[in-house]
């Protein structure tokens, strides 16, 4: 047995244009009625007896007060009807002109709701509330379009990166199964472990990136130099094994930050500087001053165009570390944005990169 469809109650739709039209017409009628009442009240003070002309020879009849009042009432009624018609016609026209920008904004919103984010309103003319709304809406569309494009690239790259280690492990296992007698089990296990670890690192980086984007972070006063010193000390072993010389010039500077995320910030920048360096003989310097963290490293030459894309997830350039999944600087960018700071990537003329993370000063 089918369920009967609920009855739909029809309700008249009072558009903004119609309401504005009725408001204009109503104001005109009310204003006319007030004037008529005032005139009617004043005319009541006219003497209530037949008036005669000053010149006795002039026999033109003069109306009485009652006749004048009757004429005023009649003419006022016609005037109010006329004002109502003018108010409706003029109000409809004026309301249409004033609401035309709102119709353009509504059209753009509908196109955006259908998935088209490349349309912009671009209202011109006198700056008013409608142009402010139009500019704000266009800015929102710009941000949405950038976000969706970034999301599409992220989804495509993440799919590829997550598929790669599994495909590699599948190939190694298929080869081992096809010819088990000629396999070095120890070497096979090592390669499988490395590939599996790469997949684990990638998943952890993706989860960390997502958690930073979706978590509310409490910012407290902390010494950037102290946190940076702890992270640098943890990186010295990796730097020594890669032949990278690490120098630190850490000056006390208080910032508003989350200690865990700031530690992750320094760690990621340090690892990026070590793993994408020139190899043995390269250098990595870390400094803190004036609520800024500056990490500079030697390495392959990076163009300004490449530097502008390194904070995107999975962004890679020629000469980057082969085990990199391209999420280190993306996570750094998210951490700095979460702290309402500013991140600057500057290519060094001789190669390598200088990264400056500016965090908000502590409020004491």
């Amino acid at each position: 047995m089918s369920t009967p469809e609920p009855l739909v109650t029809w309700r008249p739709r009072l558009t903004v244009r119609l309401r504005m039209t009725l408001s204009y017409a109503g104001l005109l009628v009310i204003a006319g009625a007030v004037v008529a009442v005032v005139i009617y009240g004043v005319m009541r003070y006219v003497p209530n007896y037949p008036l005669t002309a000053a010149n006795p020879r002039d026999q033109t009849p003069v109306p009485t007060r009652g006749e004048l009042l009757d004429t005023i009432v009649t003419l006022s009624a016609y005037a109010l009807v006329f004002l109502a018609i003018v108010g409706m016609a003029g109000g409809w026209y004026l309301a249409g002109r004033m609401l035309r920008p709102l119709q353009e904004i509504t059209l753009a919103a509908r196109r955006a709701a259908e998935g088209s984010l490349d349309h912009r309103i671009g209202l011109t003319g006198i700056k008013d509330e409608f142009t402010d709304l139009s500019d704000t809406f266009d800015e929102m569309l710009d941000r949405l379009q950038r976000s969706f494009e970034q999301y599409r690239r992220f989804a495509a790259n993440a799919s590829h990166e997550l598929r790669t280690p599994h495909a590699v492990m599948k190939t190694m296992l298929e080869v081992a199964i096809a010819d088990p007698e000629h396999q070095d089990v120890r070497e096979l296990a090592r390669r499988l472990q490395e590939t599996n670890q790469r997949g684990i690192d990638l998943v952890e980086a993706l989860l960390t990136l997502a958690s930073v984007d979706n978590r509310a972070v409490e910012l407290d006063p902390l010494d950037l130099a102290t946190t940076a010193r702890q992270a640098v000390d943890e990186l010295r072993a990796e730097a020594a094994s890669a032949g990278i010389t690490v120098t630190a010039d850490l000056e006390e500077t208080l910032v508003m930050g989350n200690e865990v995320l700031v530690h992750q910030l320094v760690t990621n920048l340090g690892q990026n500087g070590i793993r994408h360096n020139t190899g043995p003989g390269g250098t990595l310097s870390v400094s803190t001053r004036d609520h800024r963290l500056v990490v500079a490293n030697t390495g392959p030459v990076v163009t300004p165009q490449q530097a502008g894309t390194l904070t995107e997830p999975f962004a890679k350039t020629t000469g980057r570390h082969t085990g990199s999944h391209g999420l280190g600087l993306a996570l750094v960018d998210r951490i700095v944005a979460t702290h309402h700071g500013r991140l600057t990537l500057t290519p060094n003329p001789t190669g390598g990169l200088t990264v400056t993370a500016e965090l908000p000063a502590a409020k004491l």
Side-chain angles (χ1 to χ4, degrees):
M1 181 177 180
S2 60
T3 304
E5 297 182 358
L7 297 176
V8 179
T9 304
W10 181 83
R11 295 181 181 179
R13 184 169 180 261
L14 286 177
T15 63
V16 175
R17 186 176 186 181
L18 179 57
R19 282 182 287 174
M20 292 180 68
T21 300
L22 294 176
S23 300
Y24 295 151
L27 286 175
L28 279 178
V29 172
I30 292 173
V34 170
V35 173
V37 169
V38 171
I39 295 176
Y40 186 88
V42 172
M43 292 304 297
R44 290 182 62 85
Y45 290 98
V46 175
N48 191 20
Y49 51 80
L51 301 177
T52 59
N55 187 358
R57 295 180 180 179
D58 190 359
Q59 298 300 323
T60 302
V62 179
T64 63
R65 183 183 69 178
E67 293 173 336
L68 289 174
L69 293 178
D70 291 340
T71 302
I72 290 174
V73 171
T74 302
L75 294 178
S76 296
Y78 287 120
L80 291 179
V81 173
F82 176 77
L83 288 176
I85 295 174
V86 172
M88 290 290 291
W92 184 262
Y93 173 75
L94 293 176
R97 284 183 58 87
M98 294 184 64
L99 293 176
R100 189 172 302 162
L102 186 60
Q103 295 174 351
E104 296 182 16
I105 296 174
T106 302
L107 178 61
R110 287 175 179 171
R111 295 184 63 175
E114 294 171 356
S116 176
L117 300 177
D118 57 351
H119 178 68
R120 299 294 180 269
I121 304 171
L123 284 183
T124 58
I126 301 175
K127 295 291 293 183
D128 56 13
E129 289 83 354
F130 286 123
T131 55
D132 291 342
L133 178 60
S134 170
D135 294 341
T136 302
F137 192 82
D138 285 345
E139 292 175 2
M140 181 191 70
L141 288 179
D142 288 335
R143 291 194 297 269
L144 283 175
Q145 188 174 20
R146 288 194 300 268
S147 297
F148 275 109
E149 290 175 353
Q150 185 177 6
Y151 169 76
R152 292 190 186 99
R153 292 195 300 269
F154 178 85
N157 292 329
S159 176
H160 173 73
E161 293 288 337
L162 288 171
R163 189 183 297 114
T164 299
H166 292 85
V168 172
M169 287 189 291
K170 179 182 178 182
T171 301
M172 287 189 293
L173 289 174
E174 288 176 348
V175 172
I177 293 174
D179 188 12
E181 297 180 358
H182 297 84
Q183 295 297 322
D184 185 343
V185 178
R186 185 180 298 275
E187 177 64 18
L188 177 63
R190 185 189 64 79
R191 292 174 61 192
L192 286 173
Q193 183 182 23
E194 290 179 354
T195 306
N196 183 64
Q197 186 62 44
R198 181 171 180 267
I200 293 174
D201 293 341
L202 176 59
V203 172
E204 290 180 349
L206 288 172
L207 293 175
T208 304
L209 190 62
S211 66
V212 171
D213 285 337
N214 298 317
R215 66 186 289 189
V217 178
E218 294 184 2
L219 304 182
D220 300 309
L222 60 87
D223 181 13
L224 182 58
T226 301
T227 305
R229 185 175 295 105
Q230 295 173 353
V232 170
D233 290 341
E234 295 172 1
L235 291 170
R236 290 190 183 278
E238 181 179 350
S241 63
I244 307 298
T245 301
V246 179
T247 59
D249 180 15
L250 306 176
E251 180 180 309
E252 179 181 356
T253 178
L254 297 180
V255 298
M256 295 297 297
N258 179 279
E259 185 174 0
V260 175
L261 291 181
V262 172
H263 187 277
Q264 184 73 46
L265 168 69
V266 182
T267 300
N268 278 32
L269 288 178
Q271 289 177 342
N272 184 79
I274 294 172
R275 297 173 183 177
H276 306 146
N277 215 300
T278 53
T283 61
L284 171 71
S285 65
V286 181
S287 63
T288 57
R289 185 176 291 103
D290 298 329
H291 55 272
R292 289 183 178 88
L293 169 70
V294 180
V295 178
N297 64 275
T298 55
V301 175
V302 179
T303 65
Q305 291 76 14
Q306 290 173 332
T309 63
L310 291 181
T311 56
E312 295 185 8
F314 304 105
K316 299 179 182 180
T317 60
T318 304
R320 289 175 69 86
H321 190 265
T322 55
S324 169
H325 41 61
L327 291 176
L329 290 179
L331 181 57
V332 166
D333 183 60
R334 298 295 194 280
I335 293 175
V336 174
T338 301
H339 284 76
H340 310 289
R342 183 174 60 181
L343 183 69
T344 305
L345 278 67
T346 306
N348 299 327
T350 58
L353 201 65
T354 297
V355 182
T356 303
E358 182 177 352
L359 302 179
K363 301 176 182 178
L364 300 179

